[in-house]
Amino acid sequence: MEQSTPAIIAEYWGIGLFILAVFGLCAFMMIASALLGGRSRGRSKSLPFESGIIGAGSARQRFSVKFYLVAMLFVIFDIEAVFLFAWAVSIREVGWVGFWGAAIFIFVLLAGLLYDSRVGALDWAPRRRVPKER
């Protein structure tokens, strides 16, 4: 069942009008801010502002890989929590098959967490140095 072009236009004209209105509003806001905005220049204007604290040193600091590792672990476990929430919402529909699937999923999560703990991915404090006995 193919529709003619006028029928398609009559059906979707509202979406096209909305898209045009969005682009028009964006263009208006950008042009208005360029025309009405301030243009002051100065030495302090080019400095980055960080909560009222004047920056000291280079902005290109090196961070430990631990920061990125913890961030990745957080994202991974956060996404897995979303999956578990979706499972909890549909528990009645999925039945025992869904229950055992979620149980295996949780077991894999715990195994991954145990592995991360064993390899030291979750250790923040430096290890104590044990003096060698002579």
Side-chain angles (χ1 to χ4, degrees):
M1 185 163 101
E2 293 183 26
Q3 291 181 342
S4 64
T5 304
I8 293 174
I9 292 174
E11 191 172 332
Y12 294 109
W13 69 271
I15 295 172
L17 183 64
F18 178 75
I19 291 172
L20 283 175
V22 167
F23 280 117
L25 183 63
C26 290
F28 169 74
M29 288 191 295
M30 290 174 58
I31 291 170
S33 67
L35 294 175
L36 300 175
R39 291 182 181 77
S40 62
R41 303 272 185 239
R43 185 171 157 221
S44 62
K45 273 292 212 186
S46 62
L47 292 175
F49 181 75
E50 297 290 335
S51 302
I53 300 171
I54 297 174
S58 173
R60 304 207 183 268
Q61 282 181 327
R62 288 185 164 208
F63 289 103
S64 172
V65 175
K66 292 266 187 190
F67 289 106
Y68 302 109
L69 182 63
V70 168
M72 286 190 306
L73 290 174
F74 173 77
V75 169
I76 289 169
F77 283 102
D78 196 39
I79 290 172
E80 291 165 352
V82 170
F83 286 136
L84 287 175
F85 179 76
W87 169 78
V89 168
S90 65
I91 186 70
R92 293 192 192 276
E93 289 85 18
V94 295
W96 284 104
V97 174
F99 172 77
W100 289 114
I104 292 170
F105 183 69
I106 291 171
F107 176 73
V108 170
L109 283 179
L110 290 175
L113 188 61
L114 182 65
Y115 174 77
D116 288 340
S117 176
R118 296 268 182 181
V119 297
L122 304 175
D123 295 337
W124 277 90
R127 295 185 182 186
R128 286 190 203 169
R129 294 185 182 200
V130 179
K132 292 181 182 178
E133 295 181 21
R134 292 183 191 210

